[in-house]
Amino acid sequence: MSTPVGIVLVSHSAELAAGLRLLVEQIGSDTVPVVTAAGTEDGRIGTSYDLVLNAIKIADRGAGVLVLPDLGSSVLTTRTVLDDHPRPDVVLVDAPFVEGAVAAVVAAASGADLQTVVNSAEEARNVRKL
């Protein structure tokens, strides 16, 4: 199997991101690098430039990285990181946090390329629950 796309979950809450990581690892595969950048370095609610930058580096296995933020400043922090360190193979995705992460990990586990993984996460916005 080829190198999978990496996934970075950016959240204000370390607990929220850790729980989502556990979920997607069980649904997807342990071969997909899923890394969290959540909370602040001292354990508070918030987002951290350094944690986002480091998570991208850890998740990168050579096939690209999808970055999925939860809301608000996680988006702004991620945009700042990507503006300061632009890479065509790192994509910030506008998708629902849980559904987007699940769709992205399933696609990445199947060996899909970065654009397909991005599309899968974004399409999760349109999947009805009822």
Side-chain angles (χ1 to χ4, degrees):
M1 183 173 156
S2 64
T3 303
V5 170
I7 312 290
V8 174
L9 305 174
V10 182
S11 176
H12 290 76
S13 168
E15 292 84 3
L16 176 63
L20 181 53
R21 181 180 178 191
L22 286 173
L23 174 70
V24 298
E25 286 176 343
Q26 291 176 24
I27 289 173
S29 167
D30 59 358
T31 63
V32 176
V34 178
V35 182
T36 63
T40 62
E41 286 88 349
D42 60 357
R44 292 178 292 125
I45 294 290
T47 56
S48 163
Y49 181 103
D50 291 333
L51 291 178
V52 173
L53 182 61
N54 191 49
I56 292 168
K57 291 176 184 175
I58 293 169
D60 186 10
R61 302 286 161 62
V65 177
L66 177 147
V67 183
L68 182 60
D70 60 2
L71 51 93
S73 67
S74 66
V75 175
L76 299 175
T77 301
T78 302
R79 281 186 170 166
T80 302
V81 168
L82 296 180
D83 285 347
D84 290 349
H85 304 275
R87 291 179 44 188
D89 64 339
V90 178
V91 179
L92 175 61
V93 176
D94 181 11
F97 197 55
V98 174
E99 294 89 338
V102 169
V105 170
V106 169
S110 75
D113 65 9
L114 178 60
Q115 189 58 55
T116 302
V117 174
V118 167
N119 293 343
S120 295
E122 290 174 342
E123 288 170 5
R125 174 175 309 287
N126 302 316
V127 175
R128 295 182 49 92
K129 293 181 183 183
L130 300 177

